[in-house]
Every structure is written in structure tokens, then in C-alpha cells.
Amino acid sequence: MSTASAIHLTRDPDGIVTLTIDDPNQRVNTMNSLFVESLAAELDAIERADDVTGVIITSAKKTFFAGGDLNDLRTASRDRLDEFAAFVERNSALLRRLEKLPVPVVAAINGSALGGGLELALAAHHRIVVDAPDLRLGLPEVTLGLLPGAGGVVRSVRMLGVRVALQELLLTGKKHTVAHARELGLVDEVVSTVAELPVAAAAWIREHADARQPWDTTGFDIPGGAPGDRGQALAATLPALAASLRAQTKGAPCPARENILAAAVEGAQVDVDNALTIEARYFLDLATGQIAKNMIQANFFDMQVVSGPRGRDTAREPWSPRKAIVLGAGMMGAGIAYQCAVSGIEVVLKDVTAEAAQRGKGYSQRVLDKRVKSGLVSAKFRDEVLARIQPTADAADAAGADLVIEAVFEDPALKTNVLREIEPLLAADALIGSNTSTLPITGLAASVTDPARFIGLHFFSPVDRMPLLEIIKGERTSQETLSRALDLARLIAKTPIVVNDSRGFFTSRVIGTFVNEALAMLGEGVPAPVIEQATTRAGYPAPALQLADELNLELLRRVRDASRDAANAAGGTWVAHPAEAVLDRMLNEFGRAGRLAGAGFYEYVDGVRQRLWPHLAEAFGASRADVPFTDVKERMLFVEAIESVKCLDEGVLESVPDANIGSLLGIGYPGWTGGVLQYIDGYAGGVAGFVRRAEELAAAYGDRFAPPASLVALAGEGGTLAAAHAAPEPVRS
């Protein structure tokens, strides 16, 4: 195939043309300039010919089509709006030409079709998919701060109806299995093997010589009706959809969802061509904005880095444990045991008593029962997973295990005792991990005979739902141990970040500054409802004081005390944070430790949160209602970002992608920012703009907002954190 084209054309004796997409310069097919030029040339040829009887679109790659080229999208700017608009409009016009061909067009989908891939398939008159378990179809653009800009909104609305298209595709970004896609109506036909695709496609073409898109035929009505149709159920559900969207976003910046809703509703009230114009305008608004750039950087480019080889030899056989022992069957240990067992690992779940261990296994039973009930897994799969978990109080059951994950209470002495008890029973080269959230790994590694095999494996609760694994290297952790830990993360379907040892590591250290800032503002007299609303309006998943209750104020104080003692022992000077007085008063004076205690910043009935404690204003005052709402929001965002820069300066963090992904997946930093360091790079005015604003906050609220010297220097150079800390390009022979 010529490298000048991304499409190879063949023709059978019956006049059926097959367009096989195969970008010679990329592992996957994307909607880049080469594809656009290639498709335009092939459509020109087909439209000139008078002997073409049908068109089949398929792919030579493992996937069908991956969507838009994100390298192109992240360079889109309002300064080049006309140029980018022309490219977007041409893409949309080409797919419109494709669906208006006077012959049947079939998409023969051999692999996943996501984003632009599904948009291409929707422009065909018929979609045939191979029944592969890992094949997915969907429009996930919303997760990148975008909307489908090549007809995806327009066609999905006309195919499924406004409500279903919004709820099942556009607003959620769901990636559907073949079975669910067919149930929805995205897929018309399913075959068992890739070899059957062209046969089935040709057969359909021969039987449907006059095929047209339904929306290009007279009398077509959108399923469920158009928004302006009287008497249709849609008219009643649209206000509820808008209200639901507002409730979900809680006022946080979510322009993609807002634009998707607008494009779907407005586009449904006009003809297809005008609807495509409306869609393109809303797409351009997003694509040239900063939020989409933030989300593309984090959710695609940064994710590629943290999930990639990370210096490992890609030809090396990945390590896989044969038998794991999890020490501690509390909530974390039980969750870790579940995650290992569901990933195919035999697990011994040990606790002090057999009853406690059995209760820990019960967690897996409950999770799997729910998944069976919802149809996500079979009863047979549930039983197989449960059979892999052996609850026990007998250390001897760990014999021969090549993986141990300690998940007992955050007490160094306790962790030392359980590790010393179990280590003699392990395989000689076993990987030894500790699920600690704050305790330095180097100190814990002294508990074992070979610290090179010891590493921190910090999971997040609930383990079965939280995707992050923070891997912490101790001073003596070997490269082989790190490689094994990364292999484990992939095996158990966790996204890893890698950090160096320190108290609190990265995630716990940074989220601590967030909670402390909320408590400090409460102590200053900022009303609690303002703090909570500002947190959600900033885009955090949970209000700050609510999170403090969930974490438990007793635990927060223990962490504070341990950090203070460590600083004093090292000869440093502990500087009390203004949050400490609030924390101590809540515990000592009011006896309110959080949700588990039944009383914290909120009131609880039988463990269920009711309302903010009415006496907070009386206890701490509420005289600072004059603090600008923007300041309340940005104090939390900035304090986490500044602490992350300090982690980078100190070598706790080794890369910007680790910071961004860790903050998004582990500690709930708002998704629209692209992560805690991308927030700085993407701030209005760039790093220099962030520094100026940080200096304003420092002058008003304290030195903790003072930008680190490294950031001030970077601002002076006009640089970005991503560029300044980019990994060097590998040397190529």
C-alpha cells in the first residue's frame, strides 16, 4: 500500500468497493489530515464511477478506528479558529458525502470503534460487528472535555432519540459491549469471526440496493419525538435532564456536558445539515478552550505515560504471582484480596481470628453478589473467584506465597510484627508490599531481611472501585521489585503512579493540605456552607468538611502528631497549621470525631449523614462571609498545587504525569483541571499567571500560598512544568 494514502481500495466482480483503512504512520487509525485527504480522494473516485454497487468500510488494524487525532486537537486554539473550523467542517462534510452515496454503505467493524470511529460507522447505512469480548463501541469525547464533532451527536440523536442518546452515549461517555450496543440499536448485525464480516456486508448490500439513511427519507421522525413536538414524552423529560445535569455537576465547570445537551436539543429541531453546523460550532467552542486541553493532556497523554513501560524492557516476560497472602482482613485488606482474586490470583486472607478473616472474605461475596444481580458477571464466575480466597488465622497457610501485601492498622510496630511472622514462610524471591498511606517505606523495610524486595503498595478505598495504585520506592527497593509491582498493577487492573519515599508520600500529603485549608477557613470564620459549596463548585467530588468526617478526625490528628514528632526528632521546627486548633477543638471540646463516631462537622443518624452541625457557626464564628467565593475555591485548588510542586522539587514525585493522574484518580482533584500540575500550566496566563495569583493569596491568607522558588523561576522563563520535567527522548540507534 502506498504511504501516500490511509485507505486501500479494492473492488469485487459485482462492483462492491471495499475501503480498508490502514494509516501507514500510526498503530491505530485516527481522523487526521491523512485520513481526511484519503477519504476525499476515494469518495471522488466512487462518485465518478457508474459501476459501483456498494461500499464496505473496514480496517486493517486490530481496532476499527480510534477517533480524532489528539495531537491535532491539543494544538487547536482560538487564534487559529478559522483554520481549525475548516478542518472540522471538512471532516463532517466527508461523512455526509459518504452517507449520501447512491449505493449501500456498510461498516464492517472488526475492532473497537470509539469516538470518531463510531461516528464513521454511524454514517454507514448498516453496521456489522464481530462478536469479540473486548470490542467496545461508544462516544467517550465527554471524558476529554469534548463532544463528538463529526456528526456523532446528530446521528445518535436521530438513531436512538434525544433522551437515550444523551443518557447512554453522549453525556456519560459509556463504552458499550457488542451485546449492549446491539440492544441499544447502534449495531444492526453480529458475526462470529472477522472472516465473516466481508461476506455478511456484501450479502446485505446485494439485498438493499436502495439503502438510504432513515433521516434522509421523507416522513422521518426522531424516536421519542423532537424537543418542540407537543404531546411527546420528551417534552416532559428534557427539563428533568437539564436539572439532573445541574445536580450532577453541582456548579463545577463542565462545558462539555452543557454543549452536548445544547447541541442535541437544538440539532433535533432542524434538518440534518443545519444540525451538523450546530454541532460543529459547539465542538469548536470546546476544542479551542483550555478545559479540553487539560483533560486531553491528563486522560490520554499522561495516562499513556503512567500506564506505559516506564523504563522496563517491553520484551521481558511480565511477572505474575502464583499465590498471594494479604495480612489484615479489614476493609482495605478485604478489598485487596477481592481485587487479587478477581484477577485470577490465589489469595490467603489472614487475620488474628478465623472469624475476622471470614468476615473479610464476606466483602468479596457481597461485591460479587451485586455484580451477579446486575448481570455484570455470572454466578459461575462469582463462585470461581470466591474459591480463590482462603480465609485463615494460621500463618502456616502462607507457605510458598510469592506476594505478600500487608494491610493492617497504621502502626509501625504492628506492621513489623506481622511481616516478621510471615516472611520465613514466603518463597525466596517473594515481593513484599505494604499498603500504608503515610508511614515511610524505608523504615518499614527494616522489618524484613531483604529490603530490596520491599515496596509500598498504597491502595485506595473502596479497592474494587478506586482505580489508582500508588507505588512507593524505599531507599533500597530494587528496580526488579519496582518492575514486578508495575506488572502487578497491570494484572489487577490498577493504574499505577510511582513515587519516592517520604512521610505521606504524594497523595496523602497533598490531600492533607486540602482538608487542612477547609478547616483553616472554618476557623477564620468562613461559614461552613460556603466552604462546602465552594468545594463542589470547584469540581471536587465531595465537600471538604464532609470528606474530613469520612477520613475521621481522630485519624487526622494521629497523622498530624506523627508528622510533628518526626519533624522534631529530625531536628526541625514544627510550624502549627491554623487547621490544628479547629481539629483539636472538635475532638477535645466537642467530642465530634466524624461519621464513624456519629458526630463530626455533620450530624448523623444510624451512620447516615443528615446536615451540617448547626452549632458550627457558634463554635467557630461566621464573620468572614466577605471572603470572595473565588478565593474560597482557589485556596483549596492552589494549596494542593503548591504542595505538589514541593513534592516535585523534593524528588518525591519523579514526573508530572504521576502527579496529574495520582491527583485525579486518587484524591479527587477536579477533573476539568487535568490534574494538580496541569492546573498550573493551564491557569489563565500560564505558570506566570498562577504565580501572580499565588502571591495575592499569600498576601491575604498566609505564607503557605507563597509559590516555590522553582515555580517563580519557571514563570520568569515562560516555561511549563510539563516541558521542564519532560522525560528525555530515548536514544535511537
Side-chain angles (χ1 to χ4, degrees):
M1 179 178 130
S2 168
T3 57
S5 178
I7 298 176
H8 179 54
L9 183 149
T10 58
R11 184 194 305 254
D12 75 2
D14 295 329
I16 298 174
V17 166
T18 298
L19 302 179
T20 303
I21 312 168
D22 189 10
D23 191 318
N25 306 314
Q26 301 186 131
R27 291 185 303 104
V28 295
N29 298 315
T30 62
M31 202 169 285
N32 55 17
S33 56
L34 178 61
F35 168 78
V36 170
E37 295 296 336
S38 301
L39 181 59
E42 301 301 349
L43 288 176
D44 288 344
I46 291 169
E47 288 168 345
R48 286 195 302 267
D50 57 7
D51 57 348
V52 173
T53 59
V55 175
I56 301 171
I57 304 170
T58 191
S59 168
K61 309 286 190 186
K62 290 183 179 179
T63 57
F64 176 69
F65 200 95
D69 190 320
L70 295 180
N71 285 297
D72 292 340
L73 287 172
R74 67 174 174 173
T75 63
S77 69
R78 291 192 164 94
D79 294 339
R80 301 169 50 212
L81 182 61
D82 290 345
E83 174 188 340
F84 190 62
F87 180 74
V88 171
E89 289 165 5
R90 188 179 187 196
N91 290 355
S92 185
L94 280 173
L95 296 192
R96 186 70 175 132
R97 281 176 65 190
L98 179 69
E99 72 179 348
K100 292 185 75 175
L101 287 174
V103 295
V105 179
V106 176
I109 304 171
N110 61 301
S112 291
L114 298 170
L118 183 57
E119 289 185 286
L120 175 61
L122 292 179
H125 305 135
H126 190 70
R127 282 155 296 284
I128 308 176
V129 184
V130 66
D131 191 10
D134 58 346
L135 193 152
R136 295 291 182 271
L137 300 100
L139 297 170
E141 283 86 349
V142 67
T143 64
L144 298 175
L146 297 167
L147 60 76
V153 175
V154 174
R155 293 185 179 89
S156 65
V157 162
R158 281 159 174 75
M159 182 175 293
L160 307 177
V162 177
R163 183 185 61 81
V164 175
L166 287 169
Q167 292 180 334
E168 295 293 335
L169 281 177
L170 299 169
L171 291 177
T172 60
K174 289 180 184 177
K175 299 176 182 179
H176 297 282
T177 62
V178 172
H180 196 206
R182 188 171 191 181
E183 183 182 324
L184 275 177
L186 290 173
V187 172
D188 301 304
E189 189 176 346
V190 177
V191 296
S192 300
T193 65
V194 172
E196 295 173 73
L197 283 172
V199 177
W204 190 87
I205 286 172
R206 285 192 289 270
E207 295 171 7
H208 299 83
D210 58 350
R212 299 290 183 274
Q213 292 288 34
W215 42 88
D216 284 327
T217 59
T218 303
F220 170 76
D221 290 319
I222 293 176
D229 294 349
R230 292 186 177 182
Q232 292 284 355
L234 179 63
T237 60
L238 274 179
L241 276 174
S244 175
L245 180 58
R246 286 193 297 272
Q248 290 171 25
T249 61
K250 298 176 183 176
C254 292
R257 290 185 176 187
E258 294 165 6
N259 283 21
I260 286 169
L261 181 59
V265 172
E266 293 173 23
Q269 300 177 72
V270 297
D271 61 85
V272 171
D273 293 306
N274 280 310
L276 290 170
T277 299
I278 291 169
E279 176 188 281
R281 288 174 180 169
Y282 279 114
F283 173 81
L284 288 166
D285 176 63
L286 296 172
T288 57
Q290 185 60 47
I291 289 178
K293 288 176 174 50
N294 291 343
M295 297 179 73
I296 289 170
Q297 179 62 43
N299 297 331
F300 185 78
F301 292 103
D302 288 350
M303 188 66 77
Q304 281 190 324
V305 172
V306 301
S307 300
R310 305 193 71 128
R312 291 174 293 168
D313 181 359
T314 54
R316 145 188 185 281
E317 185 70 25
W319 177 75
S320 178
R322 297 178 299 278
K323 177 181 178 181
I325 177 163
V326 177
L327 303 175
M331 185 171 182
M332 287 301 296
I336 293 167
Y338 165 82
Q339 197 65 39
C340 290
V342 83
S343 303
I345 303 171
E346 299 291 331
V347 183
V348 174
L349 179 58
K350 183 185 180 301
D351 211 302
V352 176
T353 67
E355 291 77 16
Q358 187 62 49
R359 284 196 299 272
K361 181 174 180 177
Y363 177 85
S364 294
Q365 177 86 52
R366 292 190 296 275
V367 171
L368 288 162
D369 283 347
K370 288 179 182 177
R371 298 190 75 195
V372 169
K373 187 175 181 180
S374 62
L376 294 173
V377 300
S378 66
K380 180 175 181 290
F381 177 83
R382 174 197 60 198
D383 295 343
E384 289 171 348
V385 172
L386 291 173
R388 295 190 193 109
I389 302 175
Q390 178 189 354
T392 187
D394 188 352
D397 289 331
D402 50 357
L403 168 65
V404 57
I405 302 176
E406 168 273 305
V408 299
F409 186 69
E410 290 283 273
D411 180 339
L414 177 60
K415 290 178 182 289
T416 294
N417 289 338
V418 298
L419 287 168
R420 285 180 175 170
E421 177 190 29
I422 215 74
E423 187 186 10
L425 303 168
L426 303 174
D429 62 345
L431 175 68
I432 305 174
S434 174
N435 174 61
T436 176
S437 58
T438 59
L439 299 175
I441 291 301
T442 300
L444 293 177
S447 306
V448 302
T449 57
D450 184 5
R453 291 190 284 115
F454 193 89
I455 197 163
L457 299 173
H458 178 203
F459 291 82
F460 295 77
S461 184
V463 178
D464 59 289
R465 296 202 298 272
M466 292 293 281
L468 190 70
L469 176 62
E470 185 178 28
I471 299 175
I472 308 104
K473 297 185 292 182
E475 289 179 5
R476 296 178 62 184
T477 301
S478 71
Q479 182 60 43
E480 175 61 22
T481 297
L482 173 60
S483 293
R484 287 185 173 195
L486 289 166
D487 289 341
L488 176 66
R490 177 172 292 184
L491 178 64
I492 63 175
K494 295 298 178 187
T495 300
I497 63 168
V498 179
V499 303
N500 286 307
D501 197 14
S502 75
R503 183 167 293 276
F505 321 127
F506 166 62
T507 55
S508 296
R509 174 174 163 178
V510 171
I511 199 172
T513 66
F514 165 71
V515 174
N516 277 345
E517 197 57 36
L519 270 59
M521 287 190 283
L522 185 69
E524 291 170 17
V526 177
V530 173
I531 295 170
E532 299 298 75
Q533 185 183 28
T535 316
T536 53
R537 289 285 295 273
Y540 288 95
L545 299 178
Q546 177 184 317
L547 177 63
D549 272 3
E550 294 293 329
L551 293 173
N552 188 279
L553 304 193
E554 289 280 10
L555 174 61
L556 295 179
R557 183 161 68 175
R558 283 197 297 270
V559 171
R560 184 273 312 273
D561 291 348
S563 299
R564 181 188 59 204
D565 293 346
N568 292 336
T573 301
W574 180 257
V575 178
H577 192 285
E580 294 183 32
V582 175
L583 184 62
D584 289 337
R585 287 190 67 201
M586 285 292 290
L587 292 169
N588 300 338
E589 188 175 338
F590 306 120
R592 303 182 69 87
R595 184 178 65 82
L596 288 178
F601 293 108
Y602 284 78
E603 292 184 325
Y604 299 87
V605 175
D606 297 328
V608 178
R609 186 175 60 257
Q610 302 295 311
R611 60 176 179 169
L612 279 162
W613 183 37
H615 299 292
L616 282 175
E618 176 186 334
F620 299 105
S623 61
R624 295 299 309 276
D626 61 319
V627 175
F629 194 67
T630 297
D631 286 13
V632 180
K633 288 192 298 183
E634 289 198 335
R635 282 175 67 172
M636 290 179 279
L637 291 164
F638 267 65
V639 77
E640 289 195 278
I642 289 168
E643 192 68 20
S644 298
V645 173
K646 293 176 182 177
C647 288
L648 198 61
D649 290 346
E650 295 167 18
V652 176
L653 285 167
E654 294 183 344
S655 80
V656 170
D658 281 321
N660 288 334
I661 297 303
S663 66
L664 293 171
L665 299 188
I667 58 176
Y669 203 71
W672 64 268
T673 66
V676 73
L677 294 182
Q678 177 60 30
Y679 176 65
I680 297 175
D681 283 347
Y683 194 79
V687 176
F690 181 92
V691 166
R692 286 192 297 272
R693 178 60 172 149
E695 290 169 342
E696 291 175 1
L697 293 173
Y701 305 110
D703 289 344
R704 61 187 177 277
F705 293 102
S710 64
L711 204 60
V712 175
L714 188 61
E717 298 165 2
T720 65
L721 287 164
H725 296 274
E729 287 292 323
V731 177
R732 302 186 186 279
S733 58

